[in-house]
Amino acid sequence: MSDIIRRDPRAEWIARNRLHPLHAAMQPAQHSWMGPNGIIRKNPHGIGFIGPNGIKRIDRSGAQQGGATKRTAAVEVQLPLHQVPAPAFYISVVPDMVGGRLSSHDRDLLGLAHQLAGKDGAVLAVVFGEHKENAFATAGVDRLLVLEGEQFSGYAPEQRVQGLRAVDNQFSPRHWLLPDSRTGGGELGRRFAAALGERPATRVWQVKDQECIGRAGAGLQDLARPLARLILAAVECAEPVSETRHEALPVELSTAVVRSLSRIEDLGAVAVDPAAIPMAEAEFIFSGGNGVKDWGLFHRTAEALGATEGASRVAVDDGFMARDRQVGASGTWVTARVYVAVGISGAIQHLQGIGACDKVVAINLDPGCDMIKRADLSVIGESAEILQALIAAVEAYRNDAKRDAA
Ligand SMILES: Cc1cc2nc3c(=O)[nH]c(=O)nc-3n(C[C@H](O)[C@H](O)[C@H](O)COP(=O)(O)OP(=O)(O)OC[C@H]3O[C@@H](n4cnc5c(N)ncnc54)[C@H](O)[C@@H]3O)c2cc1C
C-alpha cells in the first residue's frame, strides 16, 4: 500500500459538522483523557470491538488502544438507504455530465429535486450516452434512465429534446430540472420548454413556499414567480444530497425515441488557444504564485497541459504575470472545472476568487497552508520537481496514445 496520505474532503466536512448523522462515526476514538483534577481517566468500554459472534474481543496489538487509531479516508461510511418502492410522482433531472461525470452544479440540482420530491416522489435522472459516473446513488438518484444511441452524442440538442419528450410522455414528471449552464443545460432546457409549450423559470437560485426565485435584470434583480414545471436552476440552488444513499434503479423507455430531422450538423470540437480564453470562462486553469521559482518551466507546463494560465496577486505584483491573469477578490472570479494552484498559499482574497471551481489541485511545500485545506487533491513538494514530473507524465501519455492510434 502506498504511504501517500490521501484526504477525503467529504469525510472531513462530516467530521466538522456536528449536526450530520455520521458525525460521531467520523471522530477518532478517545479512550483516555485528562479529567478536570489532572488525573488521567480511561474508558474501559471503549477498548476492543464486538466480534461476529457477539463476544467482545480485545486487540492486544495496541493498535486500538489509547486513541491511536487514526481517522483515515478509508473509513467506509454507510449512509442510510432512502427507498421509494412505488413513486407517487417523479421529479426529473437532466444533469450536464460534463466529462461524463456529475458536476457540482448537477449535484446541487439533485439536492433541489429531493426538496421537491419529499418522501413520496422519486428523483429520475436522465443521462445521454456513455458516462463514467459511479456515484449516482450517493448523489441522490432514485431512478436512472440512460438514453443511448449515436444520435444523442456530441452536440445534438434537437435529438435530445426528442428523447426528453419521450421521457415526458412515459413518466409525466411533476417537475423537470436542468442546470442553467453554458455546458448544455441552459440551451437544452430552453429548447425543451419551447417543445413542451411551457414557460420555464430560469436562473433559479431558490425554490421555497411554492415559488421560484431567479436572477433577472443582468443579474441585479430577483424575479419571484409561482413554482414552474420546468426549472432551469443556477449553481448553489440547493444543498447537494449528503446524508442518504439512494437506489439509482435503472429504468427504460418503453418506446423508441422518434428521430427528428436534424437542422444542426456537428462539425466537432475546434482547438482553441488556451491563452485566448477569458479567465472567467476557462475550464482548466493552471495558476502560479510566489512558490513558483522557474517561470519558464511554469509556462511550459501550462502549455503541455493545454491549460489557461492564472496567477496570485504576488506573482502579478512581482511582474511575472500580466494583471489580467490575477485570480481573486481584486482580480477575476473564476469558475474552472479544474484549478491547479502552484505555490499559492491560499490567502482569503485568492480563495474568494476560486470559490466556484469544481476541483482544486494544490502543489505546495507547506502541508498546513490554506490552499491545501481547500484542495481536493494535494501534492506536497518542491514546485519545480513536480512540474518537471508533470511534463514527463503528459509526454509519456501522449506518446502512448499516438502509439495506440498508429
Ligand atoms: C485588499 C486586498 C486584495 C487582494 N486581492 C488579491 C487577489 O485578488 N488575488 C490574490 O491572489 N491575492 C490578493 N491579495 C493578496 C493576498 O492577501 C496574498 O498576499 C496573496 O494571495 C499571496 O500570494 P501567494 O500565495 O502567491 O504568495 P505567498 O503567500 O508568499 O505564498 C507562497 C506559497 O508558496 C509555497 N512555496 C514556496 N516555495 C515553494 C516551492 N519551491 N514549491 C512549492 N511551493 C512553494 C509556500 O509554502 C506558500 O504557501 C489581496 C490582498 C489585499 C490586502
Side-chain angles (χ1 to χ4, degrees):
M1 214 172 93
S2 144
D3 290 337
I4 297 171
I5 300 170
R6 299 205 180 272
R7 291 178 50 220
D8 179 351
R10 186 170 169 279
E12 289 175 8
W13 172 73
I14 294 173
R16 286 196 303 271
N17 181 355
R18 283 188 296 118
L19 299 177
H20 197 283
L22 294 168
H23 172 75
M26 299 306 251
Q27 298 308 306
Q30 193 185 15
H31 299 294
S32 66
W33 65 95
M34 187 177 284
N37 48 8
I39 296 172
I40 296 291
R41 326 259 332 166
K42 280 192 179 170
N43 172 15
H45 305 293
I47 297 172
F49 58 95
I50 305 291
N53 50 7
I55 297 172
K56 187 162 191 173
R57 328 264 327 170
I58 293 178
D59 172 12
R60 298 199 188 279
S61 71
Q64 281 196 322
Q65 278 84 21
T69 41
K70 265 203 273 170
R71 179 171 53 75
T72 66
V75 176
E76 266 299 313
V77 181
Q78 193 67 302
L79 293 165
L81 179 65
H82 172 91
Q83 285 174 301
V84 196
F89 59 90
Y90 288 99
I91 304 291
S92 206
V93 176
V94 189
D96 269 348
M97 304 292 296
V98 180
R101 293 201 168 85
L102 290 169
S103 64
S104 58
H105 194 170
D106 294 336
R107 287 171 186 270
D108 295 346
L109 238 71
L110 288 163
L112 177 60
H114 273 285
Q115 273 180 29
L116 295 167
K119 281 199 180 79
D120 302 329
V123 173
L124 167 71
V126 183
V127 172
F128 292 99
E130 281 180 22
H131 63 82
K132 303 174 198 154
E133 185 58 72
N134 51 16
F136 283 115
T138 45
V141 175
D142 298 312
R143 301 287 186 276
L144 178 64
L145 175 59
V146 181
L147 291 178
E148 275 165 320
E150 47 81 33
Q151 76 266 34
F152 299 124
S153 61
Y155 176 65
E158 296 160 312
Q159 308 302 339
R160 290 184 178 207
V161 165
Q162 292 296 342
L164 297 185
R165 290 189 75 160
V167 178
D168 196 54
N169 288 339
Q170 182 171 330
F171 294 91
S172 307
R174 184 176 283 183
H175 293 284
W176 277 98
L177 306 185
L178 287 95
D180 203 348
S181 63
R182 279 176 293 185
T183 40
E187 183 192 350
L188 183 63
R190 284 165 178 83
R191 282 177 178 269
F192 184 43
L196 291 182
E198 299 264 358
R199 186 178 158 227
T202 57
R203 299 165 77 190
V204 171
W205 60 271
Q206 194 176 46
V207 174
K208 69 170 189 191
D209 304 333
Q210 295 297 307
E211 267 195 345
C212 301
I213 305 172
R215 285 265 181 269
L220 299 175
Q221 282 171 328
D222 277 343
L223 187 71
R225 51 170 291 196
L227 188 55
R229 178 159 182 253
L230 214 152
I231 299 170
L232 307 185
V235 278
E236 296 183 11
C237 54
E239 282 290 323
V241 172
S242 65
E243 301 184 355
T244 42
R245 188 162 50 95
H246 297 253
E247 293 177 292
L249 288 178
V251 289
E252 284 180 2
L253 278 183
S254 51
T255 52
V257 177
V258 180
R259 261 184 178 220
S260 71
L261 197 61
S262 183
R263 282 168 295 180
I264 295 173
E265 189 187 353
D266 181 7
L267 297 179
V270 179
V272 287
D273 176 8
I277 303 174
M279 292 281 288
E281 288 176 20
E283 295 266 289
F284 180 19
I285 297 178
F286 192 70
S287 214
N290 203 14
V292 173
K293 305 298 172 201
D294 181 345
W295 282 94
L297 177 64
F298 174 84
H299 297 309
R300 286 199 300 283
T301 317
E303 197 184 334
L305 293 170
T308 303
E309 290 185 0
S312 75
R313 178 156 156 180
V314 170
V316 171
D317 286 350
D318 289 352
F320 293 114
M321 294 288 279
R323 180 67 60 196
D324 66 353
R325 294 287 123 190
Q326 183 182 318
V327 173
S330 54
T332 306
W333 293 53
V334 295
T335 56
R337 272 169 51 214
V338 179
Y339 185 84
V340 184
V342 187
I344 299 180
S345 58
I348 183 68
Q349 296 89 351
H350 193 89
L351 293 182
Q352 279 170 345
I354 62 169
C357 290
D358 214 354
K359 293 277 179 278
V360 174
V361 180
I363 298 175
N364 204 300
L365 271 179
D366 175 8
C369 75
D370 287 332
M371 184 57 83
I372 291 207
K373 290 181 190 144
R374 163 68 175 85
D376 300 277
L377 176 72
S378 305
V379 189
I380 314 291
E382 169 63 40
S383 63
E385 280 172 26
I386 294 163
L387 297 195
Q388 270 155 3
L390 204 52
I391 293 181
V394 171
E395 279 170 3
Y397 177 80
R398 297 229 166 101
N399 289 342
D400 283 354
K402 268 191 211 149
R403 211 174 307 125
D404 290 349

